[in-house]
Amino acid sequence: MKIINIVGARPNFMKIAPLMEAYRGAPRIRPLLVHTGQHYDERMSDLFFRQLGIPQPDLNLEVGSGSHAAQTAAIMTAFEPVVLEHKPDAVLVVGDVNSTIACGLVAVKLGVRLIHVEAGLRSFDRTMPEEINRVLTDAISDLLFCTEQSGVDNLRREGVNADRIHLVGNVMIDTLLRQKERAAASPILDELHLTPGQYVVLTLHRPANVDDPAVFGRILAALEEVQREMPVVFPIHPRTRANLGRPGLIGRIEAMGNLRLIDPAGYLDFLKLTSSAYAVLTDSGGIQEETTILRVPCLTLRENTERPVTAELGSNRLVGTRTESILEAWRDLRAGRRGTGGIPPLWDGRAAERIVKVLDEKL
Ligand code: UD1
């Protein structure tokens, strides 16, 4: 049984790594790995392959950046001949990036079964490109693997048959648990002269936050206060960096002596940074999950989350992007009001194993 596995953008790499490993225990499955090339920088892609031990892709479509339509179309055009040539029994996609929907659409149109890992998550915010990718990918998938119960509930509500849905846990957490010890040896804190538990990690890359100078400005206003109390490390995503040139923004950032901009971090350095942080401020999806496992307080700079279990059970708090709401949550933390946080069911490092077992039985 041949399965083509798709990766494209940074958050996909942590999700595919444990699956590629788990396939080794299922000799009937022959996995192929296709990289669409949506992310292509050394620090956004290659470094992750090396650190996570992901096999070299069998193929790289090298589509690169573009508008949503151009990028999605380029992936589809490049992937179609691959499916025609390799005639896989299934295509497996992870997460919610443009590569996910593009390859999923190609597969189903050619009559190839589609498997979606991390299915059913919903922010119910259709202005997010990822939400569109999630809804559409789930609607055309044959087998849907969920990380949390809300995913199962959403899919059931959307009319997906229960026998196609499997609650298996979280492959991203598989990777985190496997790499935690290696990450502990990362020298990043020394390199940045940081003391464990006494700094904040910040990541920002959502178009809604960084493409809109008004929203970016409100977040910066909150950071002005936060960095007066503690150093803030800010590994900066290419999209965000591209926006810094806008009038007003770079001057404000440079004026914050305790805000430390660094290049996008590799997986191990980033895991070391987050696991030893006092708190994490982010607009990422995956980091809400990682901080939950690490039990590090996470203030999510968004109005909604497609990962509600991280806020219900974990260490995540949705704080929005108003300066005052961010600072209110920050002051709560400083006053010691921080939930301890629990671990969601099945986030135990064995999700990939469960997925491969189902694939082996079902396909
Ligand atoms: C994509 C995903 C997002 C995910 C994020 C993680 C979609 C719709 N979005 O957003 O869900 O959270 O990846 O990073 O798929 N760029 C580089 N080098 C690279 C890749 C990108 O410089 O290796 C720059 C380019 O200028 C590009 C911009 O970043 O135009 C945005 O990249 P793109 O893949 O379109 O979306 P992300 O914002 O990274």
Side-chain angles (χ1 to χ4, degrees):
M1 177 175 47
K2 199 191 271 183
I3 302 180
I4 295 187
N5 299 270
I6 305 296
V7 288
R10 185 170 58 182
N12 293 163
F13 306 136
M14 303 71 136
K15 295 170 193 169
I16 217 71
L19 282 165
M20 297 310 286
E21 193 188 314
Y23 286 133
R24 292 197 211 129
R28 288 194 297 174
I29 298 180
R30 214 177 110 218
L32 286 178
L33 182 61
V34 173
H35 191 334
T36 64
Q38 177 176 344
H39 285 176
Y40 43 84
D41 284 352
E42 154 71 18
R43 299 186 74 88
M44 296 295 287
S45 177
D46 298 1
L47 185 54
F48 287 79
F49 275 76
R50 289 199 303 279
Q51 291 194 339
L52 303 181
I54 305 170
Q56 277 305 305
D58 296 283
L59 259 173
N60 192 321
L61 307 180
E62 293 180 359
V63 297
S65 302
S67 69
H68 283 272
Q71 188 177 60
T72 307
I75 297 169
M76 291 183 70
T77 311
F79 186 53
E80 188 176 53
V82 175
V83 178
L84 287 171
E85 185 194 329
H86 289 276
K87 300 188 177 51
D89 299 286
V91 167
L92 181 146
V93 294
V94 299
D96 54 16
V97 302
N98 286 343
S99 300
T100 309
I101 179 60
C103 293
L105 207 44
V106 168
V108 293
K109 290 281 182 90
L110 291 173
V112 175
R113 276 173 295 188
L114 182 63
I115 305 157
H116 187 203
V117 172
E118 201 186 88
L121 296 181
R122 296 289 179 269
S123 65
F124 303 101
D125 173 1
R126 296 246 171 149
T127 66
M128 281 177 79
E130 294 83 2
E131 181 74 354
I132 304 297
N133 293 342
R134 288 188 281 260
V135 168
L136 295 180
T137 304
D138 287 339
I140 56 175
S141 290
D142 297 283
L143 260 179
L144 303 99
F145 292 102
C146 297
T147 53
E148 58 171 272
Q149 184 61 38
S150 78
V152 177
D153 299 341
N154 293 330
L155 293 172
R156 293 293 290 139
R157 212 176 311 112
E158 290 170 20
V160 180
N161 242 332
D163 61 358
R164 292 202 274 137
I165 307 171
H166 297 267
L167 180 63
V168 290
N170 194 324
V171 282
M172 191 170 226
I173 300 307
D174 290 6
T175 292
L176 186 151
L177 295 174
R178 274 202 208 23
Q179 301 294 341
K180 221 177 144 187
E181 244 169 69
R182 276 178 73 211
S186 151
I188 186 83
L189 298 196
D190 295 337
E191 284 169 17
L192 298 173
H193 308 292
L194 296 168
T195 311
Q198 291 181 40
Y199 63 91
V200 168
V201 175
L202 167 73
T203 83
L204 283 176
H205 76 285
R206 297 257 150 243
N209 285 348
V210 301
D211 290 355
D212 181 341
V215 180
F216 207 159
R218 294 204 303 263
I219 296 172
L220 288 182
L223 287 172
E224 277 156 5
E225 176 165 335
V226 172
Q227 60 92 41
R228 269 197 288 275
E229 295 176 36
M230 235 181 244
V232 176
V233 187
F234 185 12
I236 192 152
H237 184 279
R239 168 191 290 282
T240 312
R241 183 173 288 283
N243 279 316
L244 290 184
R246 300 211 179 169
L249 291 182
I250 191 70
R252 280 177 80 183
I253 287 177
E254 280 169 354
M256 287 189 242
N258 235 353
L259 177 66
R260 317 258 288 271
L261 269 60
I262 61 171
D263 282 335
Y267 185 79
L268 297 172
D269 284 346
F270 190 72
L271 181 50
K272 172 78 177 197
L273 276 173
T274 48
S275 50
S276 306
Y278 173 79
V280 175
L281 271 60
T282 189
D283 60 7
S284 154
I287 295 172
Q288 298 170 40
E289 302 182 328
E290 292 170 339
T291 47
T292 283
I293 281 287
L294 298 170
R295 299 180 200 262
V296 169
C298 178
L299 305 185
T300 294
L301 308 175
R302 291 172 46 189
E303 305 297 338
N304 50 55
T305 178
E306 62 287 333
R307 292 158 160 94
V309 77
T310 61
E312 283 153 16
L313 214 65
S315 58
N316 186 22
R317 175 165 166 187
L318 278 181
V319 303
T321 56
R322 285 187 309 111
T323 309
E324 247 334 288
S325 61
I326 299 169
L327 286 177
E328 193 188 308
W330 171 251
R331 287 175 200 135
D332 277 351
L333 272 185
R334 297 295 279 154
R337 286 187 287 276
R338 49 199 281 166
T340 41
I343 305 297
L346 301 175
W347 290 20
D348 59 358
R350 301 186 59 190
E353 219 176 285
R354 292 188 191 99
I355 290 171
V356 170
K357 186 159 179 281
V358 173
L359 296 180
D360 198 40
E361 285 165 8
K362 279 222 169 183
L363 290 182

